[in-house]
Amino acid sequence: MGKILEVKKLKVSYHTYAGEVQSVRGISFDLNENETLAVVGESGCGKSVTAKSIMRLIQTPPGEIKQGSEILFNGKDILKMQDEELRKLRGGQISMIFQDPMTSLNPTMKIGKQIAESIMIHRGLNAKDAFAEAVKMLETVNIPNSDKRANQYPHQFSGGMRQRAMIAIALACDPKILIADEPTTALDVTIQAQIMDLMKDLQDKLGTAIILITHDLGIVASVAHRIQVMYSGLIIERGKTEEIFKNPQHPYTWGLLLSVPRLDAVNKDVLYSLNGTPPDLLKPPVGCPFAARCEYAMAICNESMPEETKLSETHSVSCWLQHPMAPKVKSPLNVGGAE
Ligand SMILES: Nc1ncnc2c1ncn2[C@@H]1O[C@H](COP(=O)(O)OP(=O)(O)OP(=O)(O)O)[C@@H](O)[C@H]1O
Ligand SMILES: [Mg+2]
C-alpha cells in the first residue's frame, strides 16, 4: 500500500486576544491508499484543525500553519500549492464532509442538481449526463427512489439522508481522499451505524482513502484500519484498530475505551467518564498534557514530555509508563493493557 498523504511536523496556531492558541503541536502521520484512518479524541484536541490544514482551509489570520510543517499529497506539498493547484486538489482529489450537512448543502437547490454541478465542474460532463450520474450517486449511497429524490430540496430529506447526500456530493468528483469530520455526530445511533456501514461499503467499492474524524471511539471499530488518538494537539497513541482495542497502552486511551458503551457491561446505564479537562492550549504544560488527569501520573510526567515508544511496527504510544523504570500498571479494561 502506497502512502497517499504524509503529514510531517504539522503545527498550527490561532492568534487570539488572549495569546497564541497552539491547536496542533507538531504531529506527523501517513495515510495509505485504500485505507480508513480514524482520528479520535475529545473536543478541542485539534481534529478539525488537522483536517482543515490538509484542505488548506485554515483562515489566516487568525490561524497560522507554522514554518516547517509539511503535508505531502502524492509527494507534493499542499502547503506550497498555488491557487489553481489548490482548486483542483479541493474539488477533485481531496473531498471533505462536515458534521452538519445543512451548512454545506444549498437549501435553495435540488439535491440532484447540487451533485450534478460538482460532477460537471470536476469531471467535465454536460448537464444531462451529470444529472444522470448524480442519480446514480444517490443510489450508491443507498437513497431509495433516487430519481425522485434527486428532484427534491435538502429540507425534504431526513438528517441521515442529508448526510448521505453530502457523501454523494463529496464522492461525485471521485476523490482520492475523503475527509469525514464527525459525519454522524448529529444523527441518532442507528443512523450513525448505517452511515458507518455505508462508508465501509463505499471504500470497498471505490477504494477511496478515508480520514474519519470522531470523538467516539466506539463507532470506528468496524470501519477503521488504523486509529490515532489525539490529545491537546498531539498524537498520544496510534495503531491498527485491533491493537488499540485489544492492547491499548495510554491511560487516556483506556479512558476513551471505558467511555464506550459495551454490550457485555454489567451495568449498561453507568458509563465511565473521564474526569477533568484538557490543558489550556494558550500555555500547554511542559510535561505530558494528560498528567493532570491521569491517575497513574508520576513526578516525571509533569516535568517532561514522554517520547513515542514503538510497541510494534504499527503501534506506538507516548507515555512514561513505558519507561523500563516505571511501575507496572494494570489496565482497568478487561483487555491487554500495560503489563
Ligand atoms: N478560529 C479559531 N480561533 C481560535 N482558536 C481556535 C479556532 N479554531 C480552533 N481553535 C482552537 O484550536 C483547538 C483545536 O480545535 P479543533 O476545532 O481542531 O478541535 P476538535 O478536536 O475538532 O474539537 P471538536 O470535537 O469539538 O470538533 C481548540 O482549542 C480550539 O479552541
Ligand atoms: Mg472538530
Side-chain angles (χ1 to χ4, degrees):
M1 269 198 300
K3 287 176 189 169
I4 189 163
L5 191 78
E6 293 165 81
V7 175
K8 295 182 179 178
K9 297 190 186 135
L10 176 67
K11 256 191 205 176
V12 188
S13 285
Y14 280 92
H15 298 279
T16 69
Y17 287 113
E20 182 179 337
V21 180
Q22 299 176 40
S23 304
V24 172
R25 302 195 283 144
I27 62 170
S28 301
F29 65 94
D30 300 331
L31 176 70
N32 296 312
E33 283 166 355
N34 297 310
E35 107 170 314
T36 297
L37 171 70
V39 178
V40 184
E42 281 168 300
S43 185
C45 70
K47 305 181 297 292
S48 295
V49 169
T50 303
K52 286 185 201 154
S53 302
I54 296 169
M55 294 290 279
R56 277 276 295 276
L57 290 173
I58 299 287
Q59 205 191 339
T60 310
E64 182 197 0
I65 297 181
K66 296 282 189 171
Q67 284 290 327
S69 309
E70 279 180 294
I71 302 178
L72 308 180
F73 172 70
N74 282 332
K76 196 144 201 250
D77 195 348
I78 292 175
L79 300 178
K80 296 204 173 95
M81 286 184 182
Q82 303 296 317
D83 289 354
E84 178 58 25
E85 248 178 319
L86 262 187
R87 211 177 46 78
K88 274 199 200 136
L89 179 94
R90 285 192 192 129
Q93 289 158 323
I94 308 184
S95 266
M96 186 158 167
I97 48 179
F98 298 91
Q99 178 175 343
D100 177 10
M102 278 319 252
T103 56
S104 336
L105 288 174
N106 180 345
T108 65
M109 199 194 278
K110 289 176 179 166
I111 297 274
K113 190 149 185 248
Q114 296 190 44
I115 303 172
E117 289 219 328
S118 170
I119 295 172
M120 280 162 74
I121 296 170
H122 299 292
R123 285 165 49 188
L125 268 63
N126 66 35
K128 191 165 159 272
D129 292 348
F131 193 83
E133 194 61 28
V135 172
K136 253 197 236 158
M137 280 310 302
L138 286 175
E139 243 165 61
T140 307
V141 297
N142 301 335
I143 291 189
N145 304 320
S146 50
D147 46 348
K148 186 173 139 244
R149 287 292 185 179
N151 282 303
Q152 292 184 336
Y153 292 94
H155 72 88
Q156 294 170 288
F157 276 45
S158 68
M161 280 210 299
R162 277 180 208 142
Q163 200 53 282
R164 283 165 196 272
M166 271 300 303
I167 295 173
I169 292 175
L171 293 175
C173 56
D174 196 16
K176 298 282 173 284
I177 300 175
L178 174 68
I179 303 176
D181 192 355
E182 308 260 7
T184 62
T185 306
L187 306 170
D188 73 46
V189 182
T190 326
I191 312 283
Q192 275 189 14
Q194 288 172 8
I195 299 279
M196 284 302 125
D197 284 347
L198 172 65
M199 304 272 280
K200 195 166 186 297
D201 283 356
L202 290 174
Q203 178 165 61
D204 290 346
K205 231 184 275 174
L206 308 173
T208 321
I210 299 175
I211 299 179
L212 179 60
I213 295 175
T214 175
H215 59 268
D216 183 352
L217 198 41
I219 67 163
V220 302
S222 61
V223 198
H225 299 108
R226 285 190 300 134
I227 295 175
Q228 57 195 32
V229 180
M230 284 189 74
Y231 191 79
S232 82
L234 302 168
I235 296 167
I236 54 103
E237 182 160 9
R238 62 178 106 208
K240 284 191 187 153
T241 301
E242 62 263 28
E243 288 171 324
I244 297 298
F245 277 89
K246 297 213 174 102
N247 186 29
Q249 293 292 326
H250 200 291
Y252 178 62
T253 314
W254 297 343
L256 285 181
L257 283 165
L258 282 168
S259 340
V260 171
R262 284 172 54 158
L263 292 171
D264 59 351
V266 181
N267 187 342
K268 294 188 176 96
D269 299 330
V270 183
L271 267 187
Y272 175 89
S273 69
L274 280 158
N275 291 321
T277 49
D280 184 356
L281 293 173
L282 281 166
K283 245 198 204 167
V286 288
C288 170
F290 189 61
R293 300 169 76 184
C294 181
E295 57 182 292
Y296 311 97
M298 306 168 282
I300 184 79
C301 302
N302 288 305
E303 287 156 15
S304 135
M305 192 90 89
E307 297 271 318
E308 187 162 22
T309 307
K310 229 174 158 172
L311 306 166
S312 79
E313 219 25 69
T314 42
H315 188 190
S316 60
V317 62
S318 305
C319 176
W320 280 114
L321 289 176
Q322 297 300 322
H323 194 276
M325 307 279 281
K328 296 279 167 268
V329 163
K330 202 168 157 40
S331 141
L333 295 144
N334 288 332
V335 292
E339 251 195 313

